Amino acid sequence: MSIRIAEPNDAAAIGELVVQLGYPISTDDARRRLVQLLGRADHAVFVATESGDVVGFIHICVTETLEHEPYGEIKGLAVGEGHQNRGTGAQLLESAEGWASQRGLSIVRVRSNVKRDRARSFYERHGYEVTKVQNIFDKRLQ
């Protein structure tokens, strides 16, 4: 297995992983969004590949707010169902943390639904701790 920066041609495989997370997305939308992110210096998408196939991804970005110094924020992490529990997620996490560290960021944050017990265990095993529980409110404008 190897980790590399995502490429536009990885969009279909990343889209399938996003669907496995429970977020419906078309291949066209996955490609459009991925291309937009790859063009930004404050975002990175890494993929894990095995025999040339994408089996996982992680998306990290720099988050800047008035309340906090800039920090890295993991926006998405998924490993295909047949490739879990092999260290793939840990290697993706390490790549994202390295990216954040290279940018002088001292904190990496991740948000995970409270229903995702396996995700919580994964992050805690890798040194993350729960620092806040909150509600998320959405309002559709169109």
Side-chain angles (χ1 to χ4, degrees):
M1 181 190 39
S2 64
I3 308 293
R4 63 170 171 77
I5 293 288
E7 301 168 353
N9 290 337
D10 298 324
I14 291 172
E16 289 176 23
L17 292 165
V18 169
V19 169
Q20 285 181 28
L21 284 174
Y23 303 101
I25 188 172
S26 70
T27 300
D28 288 342
D29 284 343
R31 182 175 179 77
R32 177 182 51 78
R33 293 175 190 173
L34 179 61
V35 168
Q36 288 173 341
L37 293 173
L38 294 176
R40 296 183 58 169
D42 58 344
H43 286 255
V45 179
F46 294 92
V47 293
T49 62
E50 193 170 282
S51 300
D53 296 326
V54 172
V55 298
F57 83 91
I58 192 166
H59 169 204
I60 186 168
C61 70
V62 177
T63 298
E64 298 182 61
T65 69
L66 291 171
E67 298 87 1
H68 304 284
E69 288 297 321
Y71 57 90
E73 186 164 3
I74 296 168
K75 296 303 214 173
L77 169 61
V79 175
E81 293 171 2
H83 302 276
Q84 295 173 356
N85 300 314
R86 297 182 184 177
T88 305
Q91 288 187 35
L92 286 164
L93 194 57
E94 186 178 304
S95 295
E97 291 170 351
W99 180 90
S101 182
Q102 289 171 357
R103 280 147 187 79
L105 304 174
S106 60
I107 294 175
V108 173
R109 176 172 291 161
V110 61
R111 300 168 197 269
S112 180
N113 193 316
V114 295
K115 297 177 186 178
R116 297 186 190 268
D117 292 329
R118 290 181 64 208
R120 179 177 176 155
S121 295
F122 169 80
Y123 289 116
E124 288 178 337
R125 278 194 316 273
H126 290 90
Y128 290 74
E129 60 184 48
V130 175
T131 57
K132 186 178 191 179
V133 177
Q134 65 187 52
N135 294 314
I136 296 176
F137 299 90
D138 289 341
K139 179 179 178 179
R140 296 229 178 256
L141 298 179
Q142 297 178 7

